[in-house]
């Protein structure tokens, strides 16, 4: 009898030990980021590291509207609000002049641009991840605004590519390129490249081999919009020029390594530059008089999405342009309504806000409209574009889309997969720009 009781107790102890080994835990770890930033040691005590590990069978549940976690940076004419989507509340409010927001390559810092006053500051969003082989550690801290300013004559276009950021100053035609690793809030970054061009509304794109693409307008007859692109080597010398892109406006990079492409919108065509081949492809637009003036692409996708418009034929203004990078072809999609310029995408889908107030989801490989979700009231016509003009803005985090509505001064959260939309914040000033950065989520693998 004693031997039987001992056996039972031993069996029960084994079950308890096995259960304990399968229990996930969450702990804190000292933050190991750049020690040059002010207050890093104090802040790192609050850094949150997610150690949750799940077996493959535990991945059945996916994020819905109320479960998505993101840190949102919303600009308005007098400053910035920073929100946590978890609690739908403002955690920080900064007073400063803002015309636009641009995300850095590290997906952590944000360029806060005051174009008219020629001042750029750097905002540390306070959320980032560090890869550790088969898993990542996620950190959350308080946001910090840089103690310095980057000065320029009307800094306008900020382009991230190949771990660098190129800033184009319209007023001077100057280009400055910064390494992602140099971006901290305490120490001003030194540019790794500086290129002088003729003043115009231009753009520059860093390439992975150290070269840079810079928009081109003739020195003898400068135009407000460029007419092509120039390729500069790592020493800043102009190697090649492609001038057949009238009214150049809009840029995007995309495709995997073997099909990496940089695209530029033009009147009558889209210009594709292929870095590996050092060559171009000219994609003629399907309709006479049409123009592409904005483009969106990501490195993980072999598609790009862009606007499509015409001064001569207003019926074309409800169309979008879809570029297939592998085939080097272009097609158009009729949305059935005009739309706002802020378009976002992931590897498989594009998300577009129609002026009828609905969010459209487009499958990139087929060009089909997969869904339409009502979000805001129909949008009234406004004058101007960008640079602080209160137009709706979109941001995407893991299939959840955030939409600002300047007309009602609200921020909306949309789950298009389930047709759900809700207002999560009301402001006292019209929002003008939006960036969303994903926070650590134990259900996100």
């Amino acid at each position: 009898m004693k031997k039987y009781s001992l056996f039972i107790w031993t069996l029960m102890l084994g079950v308890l030990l096995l259960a304990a080994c399968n229990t996930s835990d969450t702990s804190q770890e000292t933050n190991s980021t750049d020690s040059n930033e002010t207050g890093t040691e104090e802040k790192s005590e609050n850094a949150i590291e997610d150690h949750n590990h799940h077996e493959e069978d535990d991945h059945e549940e996916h994020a819905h509207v109320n479960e998505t976690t993101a840190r949102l940076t919303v600009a308005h004419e007098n400053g910035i609000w920073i929100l946590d989507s978890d609690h739908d509340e403002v955690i920080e409010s900064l007073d400063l002049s803002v015309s636009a927001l641009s995300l850095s390559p590290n997906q952590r810092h944000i360029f806060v641009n005051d174009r008219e006053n020629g001042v750029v500051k750097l905002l540390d969003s306070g959320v980032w991840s560090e890869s550790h082989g088969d898993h990542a550690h996620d950190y959350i801290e308080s946001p910090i605004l840089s103690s310095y300013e980057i000065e320029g004559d009307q800094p306008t276009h900020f382009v991230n590519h190949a771990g660098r950021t190129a800033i184009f100053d319209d007023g001077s035609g100057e280009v400055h390129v910064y390494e992602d690793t140099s971006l901290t809030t305490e120490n001003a970054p030194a540019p790794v490249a500086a290129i002088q061009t003729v003043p115009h509304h231009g753009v520059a794109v860093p390439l992975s081999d150290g070269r840079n693409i810079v928009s081109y307008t003739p020195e003898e007859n400068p135009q407000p919009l460029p007419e092509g692109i120039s390729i500069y080597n790592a020493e800043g010398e102009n190697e090649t020029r492609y001038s057949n892109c009238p009214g150049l406006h809009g840029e995007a990079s995309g495709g995997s390594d073997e099909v990496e492409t940089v695209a530029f919108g033009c009147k009558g065509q889209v210009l594709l530059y292929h870095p590996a081949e050092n060559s171009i492809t000219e994609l003629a637009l399907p309709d006479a008089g049409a123009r592409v003036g904005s483009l969106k692409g990501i490195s993980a996708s072999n598609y790009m999405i862009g606007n499509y418009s015409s001064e001569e034929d207003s019926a074309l203004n409800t169309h979008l342009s879809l570029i297939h990078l592998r085939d080097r072809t272009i097609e158009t999609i009729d949305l059935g309504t005009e739309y706002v310029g802020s378009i976002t995408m992931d590897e498989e889908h594009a998300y577009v806000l129609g002026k009828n107030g609905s969010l459209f989801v487009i499958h990139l490989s087929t060009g089909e409209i997969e869904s339409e979700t009502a979000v805001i009231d129909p949008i009234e016509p406004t004058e101007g574009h960008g640079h602080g003009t209160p137009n709706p803005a979109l941001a995407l985090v893991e299939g959840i889309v955030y939409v600002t509505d300047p007309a009602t001064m609200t921020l909306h959260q949309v789950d298009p997969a389930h047709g759900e939309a809700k207002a999560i914040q009301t402001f006292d000033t019209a929002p003008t720009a939006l960036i969303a950065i994903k926070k650590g989520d134990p259900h996100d693998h």
Side-chain angles (χ1 to χ4, degrees):
M1 185 69 176
K2 291 181 179 179
K3 291 182 178 180
Y4 179 73
S5 299
L6 179 60
F7 171 76
I8 294 298
W9 280 108
T10 301
L11 180 62
M12 293 177 63
L13 179 60
V15 171
L16 290 172
L17 289 173
L18 180 61
C21 290
N22 288 332
T23 302
S24 298
D25 71 323
T26 302
S27 59
Q28 293 184 344
E29 178 180 282
T30 301
N31 180 7
S32 60
T33 54
D34 192 346
S35 60
N36 291 329
E37 296 194 17
T38 301
T40 298
E41 294 182 0
E42 290 83 2
K43 291 190 301 175
S44 34
E45 295 177 0
N46 298 321
I48 300 174
E49 177 185 341
D50 184 4
H51 287 286
N52 289 315
H53 301 283
H54 297 277
E55 301 295 333
E56 292 184 3
D57 293 342
D58 294 332
H59 292 179
E60 296 179 0
E61 294 190 9
H62 300 281
H64 290 268
V65 163
N66 295 325
E67 298 172 352
T68 299
T69 54
R71 180 158 286 179
L72 312 173
T73 300
V74 183
H76 56 96
E77 63 179 357
N78 300 314
I80 289 173
W81 299 296
I82 302 172
L83 300 86
D84 269 332
S85 65
D86 310 53
H87 310 294
D88 301 342
E89 63 182 15
V90 176
I91 64 170
E92 189 82 43
S93 181
L94 303 174
D95 296 329
L96 71 166
S97 180
V98 184
S99 59
L101 301 175
S102 300
L103 187 62
S104 74
N106 62 25
Q107 305 290 299
R108 170 181 174 178
H109 293 90
I110 297 170
F111 292 100
V112 181
N113 185 19
D114 178 5
R115 180 179 185 270
E116 297 308 315
N117 293 310
V119 171
V120 179
K121 296 183 77 69
L122 195 68
L123 174 67
D124 184 345
S125 68
V127 292
W128 76 98
S129 294
E130 292 180 0
S131 177
H132 293 265
D134 61 346
H135 67 286
H137 292 171
D138 299 308
Y139 297 88
I140 305 173
E141 295 183 351
S142 298
I144 298 176
L145 192 64
S146 66
S147 58
Y148 63 85
E149 298 174 344
I150 299 174
E151 296 183 352
D153 189 350
Q154 297 181 6
T156 304
H157 278 135
F158 293 64
V159 176
N160 300 327
H161 191 60
R164 296 182 180 92
T165 297
I167 302 178
F168 192 100
D169 295 341
D170 284 4
S172 64
E174 289 182 290
V175 177
H176 293 96
V177 181
Y178 299 92
E179 289 280 1
D180 186 33
T181 53
S182 70
L183 300 177
T184 70
T185 54
E186 182 61 23
N187 300 310
V192 295
I195 298 170
Q196 180 66 62
T197 73
V198 179
H200 65 284
H201 187 51
V203 65
V205 184
L207 298 176
S208 57
D209 59 7
R211 294 180 300 154
N212 294 283
I213 305 174
V214 182
S215 59
Y216 156 77
T217 187
E219 294 184 3
E220 63 278 5
N221 185 26
Q223 300 297 312
L225 291 178
E227 298 182 356
I229 59 173
S230 293
I231 312 299
Y232 289 80
N233 62 22
E235 289 71 40
E237 300 168 339
N238 189 346
E239 290 184 333
T240 313
R241 177 170 290 169
Y242 303 100
S243 58
N244 193 20
C245 187
L248 185 154
H249 193 277
E251 167 280 336
S253 301
S256 55
D257 291 339
E258 59 270 22
V259 294
E260 182 186 17
T261 305
V262 183
F264 299 89
C266 324
K267 184 173 183 179
Q269 67 175 9
V270 170
L271 188 71
L272 304 182
Y273 178 73
H274 314 288
E277 304 170 7
N278 191 26
S279 65
I280 63 167
T281 299
E282 298 179 3
L283 297 179
L285 302 184
D287 301 283
R291 177 175 181 266
V292 171
S294 65
L295 289 162
K296 182 72 176 180
I298 58 175
S299 60
S301 178
N302 289 319
Y303 303 92
M304 288 183 183
I305 193 80
N307 77 332
Y308 197 80
S309 63
S310 173
E311 294 181 355
E312 293 83 9
D313 185 0
S314 60
L316 296 179
N317 296 343
T318 64
H319 290 58
L320 294 159
S321 56
L322 176 61
I323 301 170
H324 301 253
L325 298 182
R326 288 191 178 276
D327 300 337
R328 302 182 182 180
T329 58
I330 187 170
E331 64 175 301
T332 60
I333 302 166
D334 189 355
L335 207 60
T337 176
E338 294 190 15
Y339 47 89
V340 302
S342 180
I343 298 174
T344 188
M345 65 178 288
D346 54 28
E347 186 174 351
E348 297 181 349
H349 299 93
Y351 304 83
V352 185
L353 182 68
K355 290 190 175 181
N356 63 354
S358 293
L359 180 73
F360 294 84
V361 179
I362 299 168
H363 198 284
L364 294 172
S365 65
T366 65
E368 298 293 328
I369 299 173
E370 283 195 348
S371 67
E372 178 181 351
T373 304
V375 181
I376 64 176
D377 292 335
I379 300 167
E380 296 295 330
T382 58
E383 295 182 1
H385 70 282
H387 312 313
T389 301
N391 290 308
L394 275 65
L396 173 68
V397 177
E398 297 294 324
I400 300 300
V401 182
Y402 296 91
V403 179
T404 60
D405 182 8
T408 59
M409 296 185 290
T410 53
L411 173 67
H412 298 255
Q413 191 182 57
V414 188
D415 182 354
H418 297 85
E420 300 172 2
K422 68 172 184 176
I424 61 174
Q425 186 68 228
T426 300
F427 306 108
D428 56 7
T429 306
T432 58
L434 169 67
I435 285 181
I437 300 178
K438 177 185 167 225
K439 289 167 50 180
D441 184 348
H443 293 289
D444 188 14
H445 294 269

mmCIF file of all heavy atoms in Angstrom, residues 343-360:
data_model
loop_
_atom_site.group_PDB
_atom_site.id
_atom_site.type_symbol
_atom_site.label_atom_id
_atom_site.label_comp_id
_atom_site.label_asym_id
_atom_site.label_seq_id
_atom_site.Cartn_x
_atom_site.Cartn_y
_atom_site.Cartn_z
ATOM 1 N N ILE A 343 -2.059 56.617 -49.593
ATOM 2 C CA ILE A 343 -2.309 55.211 -49.898
ATOM 3 C C ILE A 343 -1.284 54.376 -49.152
ATOM 4 O O ILE A 343 -0.108 54.750 -49.072
ATOM 5 C CB ILE A 343 -2.190 54.947 -51.419
ATOM 6 C CG1 ILE A 343 -3.248 55.763 -52.183
ATOM 7 C CG2 ILE A 343 -2.339 53.472 -51.741
ATOM 8 C CD1 ILE A 343 -3.105 55.680 -53.689
ATOM 9 N N THR A 344 -1.709 53.258 -48.588
ATOM 10 C CA THR A 344 -0.781 52.389 -47.889
ATOM 11 C C THR A 344 -0.924 50.969 -48.408
ATOM 12 O O THR A 344 -1.898 50.638 -49.093
ATOM 13 C CB THR A 344 -1.012 52.454 -46.363
ATOM 14 O OG1 THR A 344 0.027 51.748 -45.685
ATOM 15 C CG2 THR A 344 -2.371 51.878 -45.987
ATOM 16 N N MET A 345 0.061 50.108 -48.101
ATOM 17 C CA MET A 345 0.034 48.763 -48.653
ATOM 18 C C MET A 345 0.857 47.809 -47.783
ATOM 19 O O MET A 345 1.701 48.225 -46.986
ATOM 20 C CB MET A 345 0.588 48.751 -50.080
ATOM 21 C CG MET A 345 2.051 49.120 -50.178
ATOM 22 S SD MET A 345 2.721 49.059 -51.872
ATOM 23 C CE MET A 345 2.780 47.289 -52.161
ATOM 24 N N ASP A 346 0.579 46.519 -47.934
ATOM 25 C CA ASP A 346 1.442 45.475 -47.412
ATOM 26 C C ASP A 346 1.870 44.606 -48.586
ATOM 27 O O ASP A 346 1.750 45.014 -49.747
ATOM 28 C CB ASP A 346 0.756 44.675 -46.297
ATOM 29 C CG ASP A 346 -0.589 44.093 -46.706
ATOM 30 O OD1 ASP A 346 -0.779 43.818 -47.913
ATOM 31 O OD2 ASP A 346 -1.457 43.911 -45.838
ATOM 32 N N GLU A 347 2.352 43.414 -48.320
ATOM 33 C CA GLU A 347 2.896 42.590 -49.393
ATOM 34 C C GLU A 347 1.853 42.203 -50.429
ATOM 35 O O GLU A 347 2.153 42.076 -51.617
ATOM 36 C CB GLU A 347 3.524 41.331 -48.803
ATOM 37 C CG GLU A 347 4.258 40.469 -49.815
ATOM 38 C CD GLU A 347 4.990 39.316 -49.170
ATOM 39 O OE1 GLU A 347 5.076 39.282 -47.928
ATOM 40 O OE2 GLU A 347 5.490 38.448 -49.914
ATOM 41 N N GLU A 348 0.593 42.037 -50.005
ATOM 42 C CA GLU A 348 -0.437 41.515 -50.898
ATOM 43 C C GLU A 348 -1.563 42.482 -51.204
ATOM 44 O O GLU A 348 -2.296 42.278 -52.168
ATOM 45 C CB GLU A 348 -1.040 40.236 -50.303
ATOM 46 C CG GLU A 348 -0.045 39.093 -50.150
ATOM 47 C CD GLU A 348 -0.690 37.846 -49.591
ATOM 48 O OE1 GLU A 348 -1.859 37.935 -49.131
ATOM 49 O OE2 GLU A 348 -0.052 36.787 -49.608
ATOM 50 N N HIS A 349 -1.747 43.532 -50.402
ATOM 51 C CA HIS A 349 -2.912 44.391 -50.553
ATOM 52 C C HIS A 349 -2.536 45.868 -50.529
ATOM 53 O O HIS A 349 -1.552 46.264 -49.917
ATOM 54 C CB HIS A 349 -3.938 44.120 -49.435
ATOM 55 C CG HIS A 349 -4.473 42.730 -49.429
ATOM 56 N ND1 HIS A 349 -3.913 41.731 -48.664
ATOM 57 C CD2 HIS A 349 -5.502 42.164 -50.115
ATOM 58 C CE1 HIS A 349 -4.588 40.604 -48.870
ATOM 59 N NE2 HIS A 349 -5.545 40.841 -49.735
ATOM 60 N N ALA A 350 -3.358 46.671 -51.187
ATOM 61 C CA ALA A 350 -3.291 48.124 -51.098
ATOM 62 C C ALA A 350 -4.566 48.615 -50.422
ATOM 63 O O ALA A 350 -5.649 48.035 -50.595
ATOM 64 C CB ALA A 350 -3.154 48.748 -52.481
ATOM 65 N N TYR A 351 -4.440 49.702 -49.650
ATOM 66 C CA TYR A 351 -5.559 50.265 -48.893
ATOM 67 C C TYR A 351 -5.727 51.721 -49.309
ATOM 68 O O TYR A 351 -4.807 52.533 -49.169
ATOM 69 C CB TYR A 351 -5.300 50.155 -47.392
ATOM 70 C CG TYR A 351 -5.022 48.738 -46.944
ATOM 71 C CD1 TYR A 351 -3.742 48.181 -47.060
ATOM 72 C CD2 TYR A 351 -6.034 47.936 -46.413
ATOM 73 C CE1 TYR A 351 -3.480 46.878 -46.658
ATOM 74 C CE2 TYR A 351 -5.782 46.625 -46.008
ATOM 75 C CZ TYR A 351 -4.500 46.110 -46.136
ATOM 76 O OH TYR A 351 -4.240 44.818 -45.742
ATOM 77 N N VAL A 352 -6.923 52.048 -49.819
ATOM 78 C CA VAL A 352 -7.179 53.370 -50.390
ATOM 79 C C VAL A 352 -8.475 53.919 -49.802
ATOM 80 O O VAL A 352 -9.486 53.207 -49.736
ATOM 81 C CB VAL A 352 -7.301 53.291 -51.928
ATOM 82 C CG1 VAL A 352 -7.452 54.680 -52.528
ATOM 83 C CG2 VAL A 352 -6.107 52.564 -52.538
ATOM 84 N N LEU A 353 -8.459 55.191 -49.400
ATOM 85 C CA LEU A 353 -9.665 55.831 -48.866
ATOM 86 C C LEU A 353 -10.339 56.623 -49.975
ATOM 87 O O LEU A 353 -9.792 57.609 -50.487
ATOM 88 C CB LEU A 353 -9.311 56.750 -47.701
ATOM 89 C CG LEU A 353 -10.503 57.432 -47.025
ATOM 90 C CD1 LEU A 353 -11.364 56.399 -46.291
ATOM 91 C CD2 LEU A 353 -10.043 58.515 -46.060
ATOM 92 N N GLY A 354 -11.531 56.188 -50.364
ATOM 93 C CA GLY A 354 -12.287 56.903 -51.370
ATOM 94 C C GLY A 354 -12.895 58.177 -50.805
ATOM 95 O O GLY A 354 -13.150 58.287 -49.606
ATOM 96 N N LYS A 355 -13.171 59.147 -51.683
ATOM 97 C CA LYS A 355 -13.802 60.376 -51.210
ATOM 98 C C LYS A 355 -15.269 60.173 -50.866
ATOM 99 O O LYS A 355 -15.924 61.095 -50.368
ATOM 100 C CB LYS A 355 -13.625 61.482 -52.257
ATOM 101 C CG LYS A 355 -12.184 61.954 -52.359
ATOM 102 C CD LYS A 355 -12.029 63.204 -53.211
ATOM 103 C CE LYS A 355 -10.591 63.702 -53.185
ATOM 104 N NZ LYS A 355 -10.399 64.930 -53.989
ATOM 105 N N ASN A 356 -15.765 58.956 -51.108
ATOM 106 C CA ASN A 356 -17.100 58.616 -50.620
ATOM 107 C C ASN A 356 -17.069 58.205 -49.156
ATOM 108 O O ASN A 356 -18.103 57.887 -48.572
ATOM 109 C CB ASN A 356 -17.715 57.499 -51.465
ATOM 110 C CG ASN A 356 -16.913 56.201 -51.372
ATOM 111 O OD1 ASN A 356 -15.837 56.150 -50.769
ATOM 112 N ND2 ASN A 356 -17.439 55.141 -51.970
ATOM 113 N N GLY A 357 -15.868 58.190 -48.544
ATOM 114 C CA GLY A 357 -15.722 57.866 -47.124
ATOM 115 C C GLY A 357 -15.445 56.415 -46.834
ATOM 116 O O GLY A 357 -15.361 56.022 -45.665
ATOM 117 N N SER A 358 -15.276 55.585 -47.858
ATOM 118 C CA SER A 358 -15.059 54.154 -47.673
ATOM 119 C C SER A 358 -13.597 53.777 -47.876
ATOM 120 O O SER A 358 -12.911 54.351 -48.731
ATOM 121 C CB SER A 358 -15.925 53.343 -48.639
ATOM 122 O OG SER A 358 -17.293 53.479 -48.336
ATOM 123 N N LEU A 359 -13.142 52.779 -47.103
ATOM 124 C CA LEU A 359 -11.803 52.230 -47.271
ATOM 125 C C LEU A 359 -11.883 51.029 -48.204
ATOM 126 O O LEU A 359 -12.615 50.068 -47.943
ATOM 127 C CB LEU A 359 -11.214 51.802 -45.925
ATOM 128 C CG LEU A 359 -9.805 51.223 -45.996
ATOM 129 C CD1 LEU A 359 -8.791 52.324 -46.277
ATOM 130 C CD2 LEU A 359 -9.449 50.485 -44.703
ATOM 131 N N PHE A 360 -11.121 51.084 -49.294
ATOM 132 C CA PHE A 360 -11.093 50.002 -50.267
ATOM 133 C C PHE A 360 -9.829 49.172 -50.069
ATOM 134 O O PHE A 360 -8.745 49.721 -49.846
ATOM 135 C CB PHE A 360 -11.114 50.557 -51.697
ATOM 136 C CG PHE A 360 -12.386 51.253 -52.074
ATOM 137 C CD1 PHE A 360 -12.587 52.591 -51.753
ATOM 138 C CD2 PHE A 360 -13.390 50.575 -52.738
ATOM 139 C CE1 PHE A 360 -13.760 53.243 -52.102
ATOM 140 C CE2 PHE A 360 -14.568 51.215 -53.102
ATOM 141 C CZ PHE A 360 -14.761 52.546 -52.775
#
